[in-house]
Amino acid sequence: MQPAKQTGAKWVGNMAEASKHIVDSIVKWMETFVEKPHPTFGNMPPCPYARQFRLQNKVKIVECQNVVWDECKTQMDAWSDEWEAVILASEDISIDHQMLSQKVADLNKEYKTKDLVALEDHPNSVELIDGIAMNHGTLVLVVIQRLKRLNQFSSNLKKTKYYDKWSEENLDDVVTWRFKK
C-alpha cells in the first residue's frame, strides 16, 4: 500500500499503514480542528502538541482491518517509542460505541502498568467540551500514547487556561482517570 504524502508532513515508509483517503481525512481533521487555536481551550488548539508531532513525523496512522480493540492490543504489544501517537482508524461505524469504550477501558487497565494508554473516538458517541464536538465525526479512532508523556502534557496544560471550560465530567472522562494508580 502506498502511503499518502501530506502538506506540512510527509507520510513515508511506515508512517501510514492506511488507505490514502483515511490518512487524508485524519490529517484534514488535524489541520482544520485539532491543531487550530480555540477559545474553549484558552486560545490553544484542542490538542496543543498534535501539530508539532505531525510535522516531526511522530504520528503513525493505521487502518484497522480487524476489530479495532484487537488491533489496539497488537499495536500496544508492538509499541515503539519512535511514535508520540499511533492513531488506529476504522470506517466500520457499526461497531457499538459502548462496547468500544468498554474494550478500550479494559485495555487501559492492562496496559496502564506498561505506560501505555488508549483514547477512543466514535462518531455515535459525541464528546462535547463547552459545546464543541471533539470527534473526528466519520471514523472510529483509537489513539495510543505513552501514559507518562500524556500525563506530563496534561500537567503542563493545567498551569494554563486550557481546562478552564471543561466540566468535571469531561475532566474525569479524558484526564483525571489517567492519573489514578
Side-chain angles (χ1 to χ4, degrees):
M1 184 177 308
Q2 288 294 319
K5 292 194 182 264
Q6 297 298 322
T7 305
K10 295 186 306 181
W11 299 97
V12 297
N14 63 355
M15 286 287 299
E17 298 170 8
S19 306
K20 182 180 184 316
H21 73 278
I22 296 279
V23 174
D24 289 347
S25 178
I26 292 170
V27 171
K28 180 181 178 185
W29 175 61
M30 291 176 73
E31 290 176 336
T32 61
F33 175 69
V34 174
E35 301 172 2
K36 292 289 183 194
H38 194 282
T40 290
F41 307 99
N43 293 317
M44 289 185 267
C47 183
Y49 303 96
R51 183 174 192 276
Q52 169 190 341
F53 295 142
R54 180 177 58 79
L55 294 177
Q56 291 173 343
N57 296 327
K58 298 273 188 187
V59 178
K60 179 179 173 183
I61 300 173
V62 177
E63 183 175 354
C64 295
Q65 304 299 331
N66 302 311
V67 179
V68 177
W69 45 86
D70 290 344
E71 184 63 37
C72 187
K73 183 170 179 30
T74 298
Q75 292 293 325
M76 291 171 114
D77 285 338
W79 181 263
S80 169
D81 282 331
E82 78 181 284
W83 310 116
E84 285 291 338
V86 173
I87 302 173
L88 308 178
S90 175
E91 293 179 291
D92 183 5
I93 63 168
S94 69
I95 297 166
D96 182 77
H97 68 89
Q98 292 171 324
M99 181 181 286
L100 174 66
S101 183
Q102 185 56 57
K103 294 286 189 177
V104 169
D106 292 344
L107 286 168
N108 282 331
K109 286 178 191 158
E110 179 181 348
Y111 284 88
K112 205 172 167 187
T113 60
K114 298 173 184 172
D115 193 33
L116 288 170
V117 67
L119 304 171
E120 86 279 357
D121 173 6
H122 195 295
N124 296 334
S125 179
V126 178
E127 178 186 356
L128 295 174
I129 296 179
D130 192 39
I132 304 300
M134 302 297 293
N135 303 67
H136 175 276
T138 61
L139 296 171
V140 173
L141 302 178
V142 176
V143 181
I144 305 167
Q145 294 178 275
R146 278 282 180 207
L147 176 62
K148 185 176 180 181
R149 295 268 297 153
L150 187 58
N151 284 351
Q152 177 185 18
F153 298 140
S154 292
S155 293
N156 291 343
L157 291 173
K158 285 179 185 175
K159 300 172 190 170
T160 71
K161 296 182 179 202
Y162 182 83
Y163 291 116
D164 285 2
K165 295 187 178 181
W166 287 48
S167 69
E168 282 302 313
E169 181 182 358
N170 291 144
L171 286 168
D172 289 345
D173 286 348
V174 180
V175 181
T176 310
W177 68 270
R178 295 190 329 249
F179 286 88
K180 294 179 180 170
K181 299 277 183 201

